[in-house]
Amino acid sequence: MAIFEILSGLGGVAVLDVLAAKVFERFYRNERRPEAVHFTTTEDGWTLALHQYDPPAGVARKRPVICCHGLSGNHHGFDLTARTSLARFLAAAGHPTFLLDLRCAGLSDKGRVLGGKAIAWKLSDHYRFDAPAAIRKVLELTGADRLHWIGHSMGGMIAYAFLQTPLADQISRCVILASPAKFDAMRPLHRFGFLLKAIPAVPLRTFTQSTAPLFESVKFLQKMSGNLNLLPGHAALSAVNCQDQTPSALLRDFTRFIDAGHFVGDDGADLVAGLDRVRTPMLFMVGAADELAANGSIQAAYEACGAAEKDLVLLGTRHGQRTEYGHLTILLGGNVYEEVFPRITAWLAKG
């Protein structure tokens, strides 16, 4: 009887969690829209969404840009509010900008627990299938010969991998935002790895949506989510819109990186050491207070990178910025229009 009562209680909590998520999703929904949404299909059959932002009339057009979100993210992180829209900042500078939703994120194909497109892919599926499909589609839409890639967190890790392949020939310049190469900071999470074998996906989106108002004031949630020093209301907006489905299989893939201590391929290849082969100009940026990518993690990628033109920018009060930058602050912080985005467009303007 006690087991039944416990299960009933957990079921009740789950129902309330879902109901709260629906309420706050309506209240904090991001209503910003791009000029167009395009779809492309990967070689393994997944349909991906690309959200297009065009330069204003009269602005000279430059190379197109693809912005790729990180683990559990989606395109909203690049266009959440008027004060935090990297997409519109890039477009205003003349870059036709495309926000990529990786498989299962945003408007892209959703995975299934059973059947066809199963929720059971690895990070390698993103850089072997998703990235090539997105790059091919943007070059087709724009008629450009090459484009720029901007990756946040896992979106930068995807670039670490494909820039070691012939696909790099289609990338003019690359910007890496808070993308770890070493995983020492994640080691405490490894103790929960056994849970990932029991469930197909982690309901992170439901949790962040159902607790969205708490992200405005609870420092622990702000620190854990990387939402440090956001403008009032933006942390709740981020919690509702910027999180997406998180497959357990992909998280299990990250446990391999934690075991190895750094980014490795499915075949065991050292993808950090392999960065020595990269020749694409690379800008690495990370918040000094980033719990995941700072403290030597992104620096390892910068040092390994073989590009003749590369730069590493640390963001925080010790480095001249007004506030500390966490994992998401680099995209959503209150001062990104003055302290982050201009550095990105200046770097892209060189090529």
Side-chain angles (χ1 to χ4, degrees):
M1 190 67 178
I3 294 177
F4 176 77
E5 291 172 350
I6 291 171
L7 292 176
S8 298
L10 290 174
V13 170
V15 170
L16 291 175
D17 198 36
V18 171
L19 290 175
K22 293 296 182 183
V23 170
F24 292 133
E25 183 181 17
R26 284 178 173 271
F27 188 79
Y28 292 106
R29 179 180 297 153
N30 182 12
E31 301 293 350
R32 299 168 66 78
R33 296 293 180 265
E35 276 72 40
V37 180
H38 305 278
F39 295 91
T40 187
T41 303
T42 67
E43 288 188 2
D44 62 338
W46 288 72
T47 299
L48 309 180
L50 286 156
H51 306 253
Q52 180 178 351
Y53 295 75
D54 291 326
V59 175
R61 293 204 165 210
K62 302 175 183 176
R63 288 195 187 278
V65 178
I66 290 179
C67 296
C68 182
H69 62 82
L71 179 68
S72 306
N74 56 42
H75 67 278
H76 288 294
F78 297 102
D79 185 33
L80 187 63
T81 72
R83 285 287 300 153
T84 63
S85 179
L86 178 56
R88 296 178 194 274
F89 195 96
L90 291 166
H95 297 282
T97 300
F98 297 81
L99 310 184
L100 170 62
D101 279 327
L102 296 168
R103 60 185 65 197
C104 212
L107 298 183
S108 293
D109 270 352
K110 303 298 183 185
R112 301 186 182 96
V113 176
L114 299 173
K117 297 182 176 70
I119 308 176
W121 62 87
K122 298 178 180 180
L123 182 55
S124 59
D125 291 311
H126 288 318
Y127 57 76
R128 289 175 180 164
F129 298 114
D130 294 2
I135 291 169
R136 182 172 58 249
K137 183 65 173 181
V138 170
L139 293 180
E140 173 191 313
L141 289 168
T142 61
D145 59 340
R146 292 187 297 165
L147 54 78
H148 303 307
W149 180 278
I150 298 176
H152 174 251
S153 195
M154 188 182 72
M157 292 176 62
I158 291 170
Y160 291 161
F162 76 66
L163 287 176
Q164 301 177 40
T165 75
L167 191 62
D169 294 338
Q170 297 175 312
I171 308 300
S172 179
R173 303 178 82 79
C174 184
V175 179
I176 301 294
L177 303 175
S179 303
K182 297 175 63 178
F183 296 89
D184 295 340
M186 299 184 188
R187 194 163 295 280
L189 300 177
H190 203 328
R191 71 188 67 173
F192 302 106
F194 70 96
L195 294 175
L196 300 178
K197 299 178 180 179
I199 54 176
V202 177
L204 182 62
R205 179 180 176 86
T206 301
F207 169 75
T208 58
Q209 287 184 338
S210 66
T211 57
L214 297 178
F215 281 81
E216 289 295 317
S217 57
V218 178
K219 297 297 182 183
F220 172 76
L221 290 177
Q222 293 173 359
K223 183 177 180 180
M224 291 300 295
S225 65
N227 284 298
L228 296 177
N229 302 313
L230 271 56
L231 294 174
H234 287 193
L237 279 171
S238 172
V240 165
N241 296 284
C242 296
Q243 301 295 330
D244 230 299
Q245 191 163 308
T246 311
S248 295
L250 183 57
L251 293 175
R252 288 197 300 271
D253 206 25
F254 270 77
T255 64
R256 291 194 306 109
F257 311 150
I258 295 173
D259 286 337
H262 57 276
F263 188 20
V264 293
D266 295 348
D267 58 358
D270 188 331
L271 294 176
V272 178
L275 286 169
D276 181 65
R277 300 193 298 270
V278 171
R279 297 295 178 263
T280 306
M282 302 277 284
L283 172 62
F284 299 81
M285 302 183 74
V286 65
D290 189 331
E291 297 285 342
L292 295 178
N295 301 315
S297 182
I298 197 172
Q299 289 90 329
Y302 168 76
E303 292 168 3
C305 180
E309 187 180 359
K310 62 181 181 178
D311 196 10
L312 173 63
V313 176
L314 300 178
L315 300 164
T317 55
R318 289 173 294 168
H319 306 285
Q321 283 70 52
R322 299 175 193 172
T323 59
E324 296 299 340
Y325 279 75
H327 198 62
L328 282 172
T329 319
I330 201 167
L331 285 178
L332 303 177
N335 300 310
V336 289
Y337 257 56
E338 297 80 25
E339 297 180 339
V340 180
F341 296 171
R343 290 175 180 258
I344 295 174
T345 53
W347 177 263
L348 299 183
K350 297 178 182 180

